């Protein structure tokens, strides 16, 4: 057994969990579903828009992004094999570069989750506004309506679930996320076939100027790497992990390419940042897609924000004994800040581009490569593996830089 680099007081608890891993872990099918759910997120709604920005050849870039993301998931597995006491992404970072780097990774992941939560509010607000475009409330001489008011309504709807400290019930709903995305994709396809929309949208083969934004949106769809260690340690047969990742990535890339192709064929260059905003509200199939989209943020917000809330609560509770008040105030404050951010920056595609080009590039491309090189010592001698890893680092760095510049420029231009 490899000698652990973690503190001795951690070993007793970890060893007790390791002893039951093979008998109580998840099976192959369930592991595949968890992996699929981790990578099949709300970013899928922007894929037709991403292809519309760059043309059909952008699909090649999407496939390359998926392949590199799969490779870095395997690198994370190899990092975990270096020490049997690794239980999380943060453990990998600490083993590679020390406790300070663990904190940096922790902050990075919380920032990504917070921005995803903001994106959920934007999706909900945009969808509500699509369904009820003329909804207005008169308060004296003040008229409240529009997309921004829909975000406020969304925050009020989400508030009860955001205040829950026991998220056991919502976790089952969250587990249906992959099924909900598939429902949306199938519904959009039926809308194109039988909803009077057709597949006659004006399309182009190549639009060079849109590639920076497109690559950022593509990368945002592969932000599930923080879940990879959890999938690995929970499996009964860890030798099947590579096959689990392969199946999940193949399944997801089929879904991604399907919605990108169908959405671009349906609406061409007129496709909006969220494909569901283009759908007609009278057709049954499009209604199913819209209402499923409407349900996802309500179900996911609380669980997405839970790690962020827990981090803040842990620090505050060490200084204050009133735990109940801290929990309530923390959740309310985070929901208000997320709603304000969604109102100030109500551009879902720009937000997802920022998440992809900064957070996901770091967590899903650069950090797995750097941690593996440091832990394994592969960087000490040239090999085909090292060359491949260097290419992933170059790809991630270039994509991160140009994607960040393009997304922030686009955001400033819209504001």
């Amino acid at each position: 057994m490899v000698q652990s680099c973690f503190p001795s007081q951690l070993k007793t608890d970890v060893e007790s969990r390791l002893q039951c891993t093979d008998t109580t872990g998840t099976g192959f099918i369930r592991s595949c579903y968890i992996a699929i759910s981790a990578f099949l997120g709300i970013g899928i709604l922007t894929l037709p828009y991403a292809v519309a920005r760059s043309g059909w050849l952008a699909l090649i870039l999407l496939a390359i992004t998926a392949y590199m993301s799969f490779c870095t998931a395997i690198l994370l597995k190899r990092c975990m094999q270096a020490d049997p006491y690794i239980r999380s992404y943060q453990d990998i970072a600490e083993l590679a570069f020390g406790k300070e780097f663990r904190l940096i990774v922790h902050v990075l992941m919380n920032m990504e989750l917070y921005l995803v939560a903001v994106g959920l509010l934007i999706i909900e607000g945009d969808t509500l506004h699509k369904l009820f475009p003329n909804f207005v409330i008169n308060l004296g001489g003040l008229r409240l309506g529009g997309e921004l008011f829909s975000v406020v309504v969304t925050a009020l709807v989400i508030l009860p679930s955001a205040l829950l400290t026991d998220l056991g019930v919502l976790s089952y709903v969250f587990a249906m996320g992959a099924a909900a995305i598939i429902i949306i994709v199938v519904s959009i396809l039926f809308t194109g076939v039988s909803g009077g929309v057709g597949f006659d949208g004006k399309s182009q083969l190549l639009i060079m100027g849109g590639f920076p934004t497109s690559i950022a949106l593509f990368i945002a769809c592969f932000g599930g790497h923080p879940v990879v260690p959890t999938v690995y340690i929970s499996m009964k047969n860890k030798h099947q992990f590579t096959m689990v990742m392969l199946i999940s990535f193949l399944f997801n890339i089929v879904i991604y390419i399907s919605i990108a192709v169908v959405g671009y064929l349906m609406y061409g260059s007129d496709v909006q940042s969220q494909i569901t905003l283009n759908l007609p509200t009278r057709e049954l199939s499009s209604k199913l897609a819209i209402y499923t989209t409407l349900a996802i943020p309500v179900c996911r917000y609380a669980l997405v924000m839970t790690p962020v809330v827990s981090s803040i609560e842990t620090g505050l509770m060490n200084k204050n004994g009133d735990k109940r008040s801290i929990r309530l105030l923390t959740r309310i404050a985070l929901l208000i800040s997320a709603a304000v951010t969604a109102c100030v920056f109500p551009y879902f595609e720009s937000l997802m581009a920022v998440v992809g080009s900064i957070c996901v590039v770091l967590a899903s491309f650069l950090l797995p490569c750097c941690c593996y090189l440091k832990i394994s010592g592969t960087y000490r001698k040239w090999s085909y593996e090292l060359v491949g890893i260097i290419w992933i680092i170059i790809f991630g760095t270039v994509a991160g830089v140009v994607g960040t510049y393009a997304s922030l420029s686009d955001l400033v231009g819209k504001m």
Side-chain angles (χ1 to χ4, degrees):
M1 179 179 290
V2 179
Q3 185 172 352
S4 174
C5 297
F6 289 98
S8 58
Q9 60 266 28
L10 185 65
K11 294 184 180 180
T12 302
D13 177 60
V14 172
E15 286 173 348
S16 64
R17 287 182 286 176
L18 284 173
Q19 290 174 356
C20 62
T21 298
D22 292 337
T23 58
T24 62
T26 55
F28 181 79
I29 301 299
R30 180 172 173 80
S31 297
C32 288
Y33 183 77
I34 294 173
I36 289 171
S37 300
F39 287 94
L40 200 60
I42 58 174
I44 191 174
L45 299 178
T46 65
L47 288 179
Y49 174 81
V51 175
R53 291 291 300 265
S54 302
W56 287 116
L57 290 181
L59 292 174
I60 299 175
L61 195 59
L62 176 59
I64 292 173
T65 303
Y67 174 72
M68 290 189 175
S69 183
F70 166 76
C71 291
T72 54
I74 301 304
L75 292 182
L76 287 179
K77 179 202 75 170
R78 294 181 181 177
C79 289
M80 298 192 69
Q81 291 175 330
D83 192 312
Y85 299 100
I86 293 177
R87 315 301 292 174
S88 67
Y89 201 128
Q90 290 91 326
D91 289 345
I92 294 174
E94 181 178 349
L95 179 62
F97 299 106
K99 293 182 179 180
E100 295 79 8
F101 202 74
R102 179 191 183 95
L103 178 61
I104 294 174
V105 171
H106 182 70
V107 172
L108 173 66
M109 290 182 179
N110 283 337
M111 181 176 70
E112 179 181 344
L113 290 173
Y114 178 81
L115 293 177
V116 170
V118 172
L120 291 172
L121 291 176
I122 296 174
I123 285 179
E124 191 80 353
D126 289 346
T127 307
L128 281 175
H129 181 66
K130 177 180 177 61
L131 292 174
F132 310 104
N134 300 318
F135 181 76
V136 176
I137 293 180
N138 292 306
L139 296 177
L142 181 64
R143 291 172 58 85
L144 301 176
E147 296 176 356
L148 299 184
F149 182 66
S150 298
V151 172
V152 176
V153 173
T154 298
L156 294 176
V157 172
I158 288 176
L159 180 59
S161 64
L163 295 178
L164 290 177
T165 55
D166 183 4
L167 299 175
V169 176
L170 283 178
S171 63
Y172 290 101
V173 182
F174 181 82
M176 297 302 294
I181 296 296
I182 294 172
I183 290 174
I184 293 173
V185 174
V186 174
S187 299
I188 292 173
L189 177 60
F190 270 97
T191 301
V193 173
S194 60
V197 177
F199 301 97
D200 301 320
K202 296 181 180 179
S203 61
Q204 297 185 51
L205 182 65
L206 178 63
I207 307 172
M208 289 299 297
F211 265 91
T213 299
S214 296
I215 185 59
L217 293 174
F218 291 156
I219 290 175
C221 294
F222 297 95
H225 283 67
V227 181
V228 168
T230 303
V231 175
Y232 178 75
I233 64 175
S234 67
M235 291 184 64
K236 287 182 180 179
N237 186 355
K238 294 178 175 55
H239 295 293
Q240 296 176 332
F241 176 82
T242 300
M243 183 58 65
V244 166
M245 286 292 108
L246 180 60
I247 290 175
S248 66
F249 272 88
L250 288 176
F251 181 89
N252 284 0
I253 194 62
V254 169
I255 296 296
Y256 287 160
I257 291 178
S258 298
I259 193 170
V261 170
V262 169
Y264 193 31
L265 285 174
M266 288 171 64
Y267 298 105
S269 58
D270 295 325
V271 67
Q272 297 191 44
S273 60
Q274 303 166 49
I275 178 64
T276 49
L277 298 181
N278 286 97
L279 300 179
T281 56
R282 295 182 179 180
E283 296 294 328
L284 178 61
S285 56
S286 59
K287 282 183 178 179
L288 180 59
I290 293 170
Y291 282 106
T292 303
T293 303
L294 199 63
I296 290 176
V298 176
C299 300
R300 286 199 170 195
Y301 174 88
L303 282 170
V304 167
M305 195 65 92
T306 293
V308 183
V309 173
S310 300
S311 298
I312 297 175
E313 287 178 349
T314 301
L316 293 177
M317 286 180 183
N318 291 334
K319 302 176 182 179
N320 193 317
D322 191 358
K323 296 182 179 181
R324 180 177 177 80
S325 298
I326 290 175
R327 287 195 179 100
L328 292 177
L329 291 175
T330 301
R331 284 164 168 74
I332 292 173
L334 282 173
L335 180 58
I336 292 174
S337 69
V340 170
T341 304
C343 289
V344 175
F345 306 106
Y347 311 107
F348 179 70
E349 73 283 4
S350 297
L351 178 68
M352 294 309 299
V354 170
V355 171
S357 57
I358 298 177
C359 299
V360 180
V361 161
L362 288 172
S364 299
F365 289 84
L366 301 185
L367 291 181
C369 292
C370 294
C371 288
Y372 175 73
L373 289 176
K374 181 64 167 60
I375 292 173
S376 66
T378 304
Y379 66 92
R380 295 190 180 99
K381 60 180 180 179
W382 284 98
S383 63
Y384 289 114
E385 181 184 49
L386 178 59
V387 172
I389 292 174
I390 290 175
W391 272 113
I392 294 176
I393 292 175
I394 293 173
F395 173 83
T397 302
V398 173
V401 172
V402 300
T404 300
Y405 176 79
S407 56
L408 292 179
S409 298
D410 188 48
L411 184 60
V412 171
K414 290 177 179 177
M415 293 181 62

